[in-house]
């Protein structure tokens, strides 16, 4: 049986439930995923005075072939993008600035330091997103930045975040699609603090200063990201979920939910519908925590499917900005991007192919028997045939055949670094 024949048979099974598969595919084409650049070089960046990775973040593994230059990183991204169906975005951190060998402090970064990224994005029809980098720096060595008791250190990081928002605005103007500029800080304490309030007061004041700078929302969208704990901040994080949720709602900013930044038994999928009641938009960093915020490559697991279902069945594909955030140095980095991004798209397709309206109706009627039965039966519906056809139509490898491209790229490019 040909792939087209398998697709047509699968299509009939879904369409008996009123699911218009051709419309589903068109919808899926329109959903961009923001792919994080830092998987390709283990969050190293290209600063002249590079610091060791810090901020409660850890990258494990030493698989050969990581990108060492901006050109290598962009080439690796191009390879991954060629294996991923759809048109997407790339997410940058401030440490990926290109300064032509000049040591430029982060609070002095300008749009010109990202011109190469913008030109590359234009060439490939990509949007760009941005993050100030408030870690891996001597002024973050004690684990405090925007909430630091030293006003000079706070001022440095405030100016860095303002500069970052201007860079995001530049991306939006140049590329015709607004950049999401997301602020995450590592601030917290290893042991139980004697004062939880004052650092949060300082953080709020710093954020107020940062967002007082007039940046056109047509070109730049601001987000703030919480965390439960990190290495070195096990007992207390200044920017908790409650802090940023309140700040975002009060100040009309996006609240960004990272799937690894919560208690191990707490899931982001359960938060989406509640937060969309009060927020026009949300942002996600999709990762896979294993026992802690370990940022494993996104797998096609139950939580990923549930996140996608929550977005789709609440008609929120245009309200939730989906980005990825994982970094695994134990496997081929191009393969990591490919696996994780394909899984995110695959989960959205899975959600779009569910009889969501019918399942809602069954719940309202109290018919939980039929609802559970259908949910379980749809798990073995011929979803894979639709996915394979979609990949073929989008001109990317079908099933595991993309591995051949990665192996060849590793032999011809990565292994020679």
């Amino acid at each position: 049986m040909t792939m087209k024949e398998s697709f047509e048979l699968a299509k009939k099974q879904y369409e008996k439930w009123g699911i218009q598969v051709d419309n589903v595919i068109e919808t899926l084409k329109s959903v961009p995923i923001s792919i994080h650049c830092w998987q390709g070089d283990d969050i190293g960046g290209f600063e002249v005075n590079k610091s060791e990775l810090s901020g409660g973040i850890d990258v494990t593994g030493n698989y050969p072939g990581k990108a060492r230059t901006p050109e290598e990183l962009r080439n690796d991204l191009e390879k991954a993008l060629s294996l991923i169906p759809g048109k997407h975005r790339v997410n940058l951190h401030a440490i990926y600035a290109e300064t032509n060998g000049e040591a430029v402090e982060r609070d002095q970064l300008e749009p010109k330091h990202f011109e190469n990224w913008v030109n590359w994005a234009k060439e490939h029809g990509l949007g760009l997103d941005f993050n100030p980098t408030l870690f891996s720096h001597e002024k973050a060595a004690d684990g405090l930045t925007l909430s630091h008791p030293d006003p000079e250190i706070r001022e440095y990081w405030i100016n860095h975040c303002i500069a970052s928002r201007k860079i995001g605005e530049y991306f939006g103007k140049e590329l015709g699609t607004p950049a999401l500029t997301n602020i995450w800080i590592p601030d917290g304490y290893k042991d139980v603090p004697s004062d939880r309030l004052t650092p949060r007061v300082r953080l709020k004041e710093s954020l107020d200063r940062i967002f007082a700078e007039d940046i056109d929302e047509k070109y730049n969208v601001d987000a703030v990201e919480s965390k439960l704990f990190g290495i070195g901040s096990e007992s207390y994080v200044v920017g908790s979920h409650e802090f940023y949720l309140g700040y975002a709602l009060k100040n009309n900013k996006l609240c960004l939910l990272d799937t690894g930044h919560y208690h191990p038994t707490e899931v982001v999928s359960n938060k989406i519908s509640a937060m969309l009641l009060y927020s026009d938009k949300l942002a996600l960093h999709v990762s896979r925590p294993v026992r802690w915020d370990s940022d494993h490559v996104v797998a096609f697991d139950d939580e990923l499917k549930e996140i996608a279902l929550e977005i789709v069945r609440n008609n929120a594909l245009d309200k939730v900005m989906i980005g990825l955030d994982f970094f695994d140095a134990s496997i081929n980095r191009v393969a990591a991007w490919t696996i994780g991004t394909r899984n995110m798209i695959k989960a959205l397709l899975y959600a779009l192919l569910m009889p969501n309206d019918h399942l809602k109706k069954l719940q309202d009627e109290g018919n939980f028997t039929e609802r559970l039965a259908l949910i379980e039966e749809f798990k073995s519906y011929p979803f894979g045939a639709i996915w394979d056809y979609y990949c073929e139509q989008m001109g990317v490898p079908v099933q595991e055949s993309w591995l051949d491209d990665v192996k060849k790229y590793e032999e011809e490019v990565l292994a020679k670094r």
Side-chain angles (χ1 to χ4, degrees):
M1 186 181 296
T2 66
M3 188 178 302
K4 175 68 171 175
E5 290 170 337
S6 296
F7 169 74
E8 292 296 339
L9 285 173
K11 184 177 172 182
K12 288 179 181 177
Q13 291 196 55
Y14 284 104
E15 289 185 344
K16 74 182 182 184
W17 288 97
I19 300 164
Q20 301 301 313
V21 174
D22 291 333
N23 292 343
V24 163
I25 288 174
E26 289 305 309
T27 298
L28 191 62
K29 288 179 184 178
S30 69
V31 182
I33 308 300
S34 190
I35 302 170
H36 55 308
C37 77
W38 49 91
Q39 165 61 54
D41 77 329
D42 308 341
I43 327 178
F46 306 120
E47 288 183 305
V48 173
N49 297 324
K50 189 181 294 189
S51 300
E52 291 295 319
L53 183 62
S54 70
I57 303 167
D58 192 15
V59 181
T60 56
N62 192 30
Y63 197 92
K66 78 173 179 179
R68 302 163 299 181
T69 66
E71 292 76 19
E72 288 181 351
L73 185 57
R74 285 190 282 267
N75 289 340
D76 293 353
L77 277 162
E78 286 176 31
K79 173 51 67 175
L81 288 163
S82 74
L83 307 174
I84 297 164
K87 187 62 72 173
H88 301 291
R89 308 175 65 84
V90 169
N91 195 7
L92 301 175
H93 249 283
I95 53 174
Y96 292 87
E98 294 174 69
T99 61
N100 295 318
E102 179 186 357
V104 177
E105 277 294 336
R106 293 184 195 172
D107 63 343
Q108 300 300 312
L109 288 173
E110 299 178 49
K112 67 181 181 181
H113 299 125
F114 294 87
E115 285 180 357
N116 290 340
W117 283 105
V118 166
N119 291 335
W120 175 77
K122 286 179 180 177
E123 180 184 350
H124 295 280
L126 302 166
L128 290 177
D129 296 313
F130 199 64
N131 307 263
T133 308
L134 291 94
F135 52 86
S136 302
H137 191 280
E138 60 182 10
K139 284 187 169 63
D142 60 0
L144 298 173
T145 60
L146 292 177
S147 69
H148 205 289
D150 184 336
E152 290 187 10
I153 292 179
R154 282 203 311 279
E155 189 73 15
Y156 177 87
W157 291 116
I158 287 168
N159 289 332
H160 172 53
C161 290
I162 292 171
S164 295
R165 295 180 68 226
K166 291 178 180 178
I167 291 164
E169 183 183 42
Y170 160 69
F171 289 170
K173 287 179 178 177
E174 290 291 319
L175 300 174
T177 174
L180 176 71
T181 299
N182 174 57
I183 295 176
W184 174 80
I185 64 173
D187 297 36
Y189 293 115
K190 184 176 183 64
D191 217 332
V192 178
S194 53
D195 177 8
R196 290 182 173 90
L197 177 61
T198 304
R200 287 178 172 146
V201 170
R202 289 193 291 256
L203 175 55
K204 180 184 179 299
E205 291 172 349
S206 295
L207 291 171
D208 289 345
R209 288 268 312 282
I210 291 163
F211 294 129
E213 190 76 20
D214 188 23
I215 301 290
D216 195 334
E217 292 183 359
K218 180 180 177 182
Y219 303 114
N220 180 76
V221 178
D222 294 307
V224 288
E225 177 184 358
S226 67
K227 194 167 186 177
L228 177 66
F229 79 96
I231 299 173
S233 60
E234 291 87 353
S235 298
Y236 168 77
V237 168
V238 183
S240 65
H241 175 70
E242 295 77 12
F243 174 91
Y244 280 129
L245 177 60
Y247 191 92
L249 289 173
K250 188 172 182 179
N251 295 279
N252 196 31
K253 304 300 177 186
L254 266 65
C255 195
L256 187 146
L257 311 178
D258 186 302
T259 58
H261 286 191
Y262 297 90
H263 190 277
T265 61
E266 191 178 10
V267 290
V268 161
S269 59
N270 196 40
K271 302 180 185 298
I272 292 172
S273 61
M275 293 179 66
L276 283 174
L277 282 171
Y278 305 101
S279 303
D280 292 334
K281 287 194 171 185
L282 294 176
L284 297 182
H285 274 182
V286 183
S287 177
R288 178 167 55 101
V290 177
R291 302 188 184 277
W292 71 292
D293 178 32
S294 47
D295 295 293
H296 286 62
V297 176
V298 172
F300 189 61
D301 59 14
D302 288 345
E303 172 59 1
L304 186 71
K305 286 185 278 189
E306 199 64 27
I307 287 170
L309 281 164
E310 279 297 293
I311 295 170
V312 168
R313 61 189 167 208
N314 291 299
N315 299 313
L317 283 169
D318 61 344
K319 298 177 182 177
V320 179
M321 305 174 77
I322 305 171
L324 305 179
D325 187 1
F326 52 80
F327 27 90
D328 189 342
S330 70
I331 64 174
N332 181 295
R333 294 168 184 82
V334 174
W337 271 320
T338 306
I339 294 166
T341 313
R342 282 173 69 114
N343 278 337
M344 185 70 249
I345 301 164
K346 196 182 294 184
L348 291 171
L349 177 60
Y350 179 86
L352 286 162
L353 289 170
M354 288 290 285
N356 294 302
D357 290 340
H358 185 66
L359 293 170
K360 286 180 184 179
K361 181 173 178 289
L362 292 174
Q363 179 173 306
D364 286 344
E365 293 171 349
N367 191 343
F368 304 123
T369 303
E370 186 175 340
R371 186 193 63 170
L372 178 59
L374 286 178
I375 288 172
E376 293 306 305
E377 290 300 329
F378 261 81
K379 290 179 179 178
S380 57
Y381 261 55
F383 156 78
I386 308 294
W387 169 252
D388 291 345
Y389 181 77
Y390 177 65
C391 288
E392 183 182 60
Q393 292 300 299
M394 297 302 290
V396 302
V398 175
Q399 296 180 344
E400 69 278 4
S401 62
W402 63 265
L403 269 170
D404 295 332
D405 292 72
V406 171
K407 289 175 182 177
K408 183 178 179 183
Y409 188 73
E410 181 170 315
E411 292 171 3
E412 296 178 353
V413 179
L414 303 180
K416 297 178 181 178
R417 290 180 180 169

